[in-house]
């Protein structure tokens, strides 16, 4: 099963989100007001999904304490691949993390980025939530 499509759809639904490909033509970088909150990319390891397909990886910004807790709960959540491991997690989209939990983590990543913006930028985004 392809877990990429629902994740892409949810990421793109966040207000003022833009997608670009600064690293290669397959790693999707999601930004709000030019600030990155997610990266969706092809698998970086020899890990298979439940249906034996190659899972995608999703990097999300995360509160450092919550990042550690999530890694303890879900084996498919690891320290951020090629990211600051204190502030980023990588979710291996292999079907083991419920979609609702992935969406909650996307929401948290998005809001962590928005909360560090100037108030006028925050206001233009929060009016859509």
């Amino acid at each position: 099963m392809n877990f990429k499509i629902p994740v892409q759809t949810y990421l793109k639904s966040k207000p003022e989100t833009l997608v670009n490909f600064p690293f290669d033509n397959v790693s999707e970088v999601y930004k709000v007001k030019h600030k990155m909150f997610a990266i969706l990319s092809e698998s970086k390891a020899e890990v298979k999904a439940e249906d034996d397909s190659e899972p995608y990886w999703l990097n999300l910004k995360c509160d450092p304490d919550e990042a550690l807790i999530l890694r303890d709960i879900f084996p498919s959540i690891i320290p951020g691949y090629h990211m600051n491991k204190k502030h980023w997690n990588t979710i291996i989209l292999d079907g083991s993390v419920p979609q609702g939990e992935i969406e909650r983590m996307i929401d948290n990543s998005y809001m962590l980025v928005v909360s560090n913006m100037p108030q006028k930028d925050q206001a233009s985004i929060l009016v859509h939530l």
Side-chain angles (χ1 to χ4, degrees):
M1 180 172 186
N2 186 342
F3 299 101
K4 176 185 175 186
I5 302 301
V7 169
Q8 278 179 316
T9 302
Y10 195 76
L11 287 164
K12 290 176 183 176
S13 76
K14 307 308 288 174
E16 298 194 37
T17 293
L18 296 175
V19 183
N20 62 22
F21 299 83
F23 307 121
D24 54 39
N25 60 355
V26 293
S27 298
E28 302 170 10
V29 176
Y30 291 81
K31 295 181 177 183
V32 56
K33 298 268 187 190
H34 306 289
K35 300 289 184 184
M36 179 172 53
F37 72 94
I39 301 173
L40 183 61
S41 61
E42 293 178 341
S43 176
K44 306 292 187 222
E46 295 297 319
V47 179
K48 298 287 186 182
E50 292 173 347
D51 66 354
D52 210 35
S53 65
E54 296 287 331
Y56 278 78
W57 285 23
L58 176 65
N59 283 8
L60 294 172
K61 197 166 184 82
C62 193
D63 170 79
D65 293 330
E66 183 180 1
L68 294 172
I69 292 167
L70 289 167
R71 293 174 200 164
D72 285 343
I73 294 170
F74 298 103
S76 60
I77 297 180
I78 60 176
Y81 183 78
H82 279 296
M83 305 298 281
N84 179 320
K85 303 199 180 333
K86 181 177 179 181
H87 296 280
W88 289 82
N89 272 345
T90 296
I91 299 95
I92 301 168
L93 300 176
D94 61 2
S96 64
V97 179
Q99 182 65 26
E101 181 63 20
I102 293 170
E103 290 175 3
R104 187 194 67 76
M105 289 186 282
I106 290 170
D107 291 345
N108 285 351
S109 179
Y110 183 86
M111 289 308 298
L112 279 169
V113 172
V114 170
S115 69
N116 285 315
M117 293 180 175
Q119 285 196 341
K120 74 172 192 162
D121 288 341
Q122 286 183 35
S124 72
I125 294 165
L126 296 175
V127 72
H128 298 287
L129 296 177

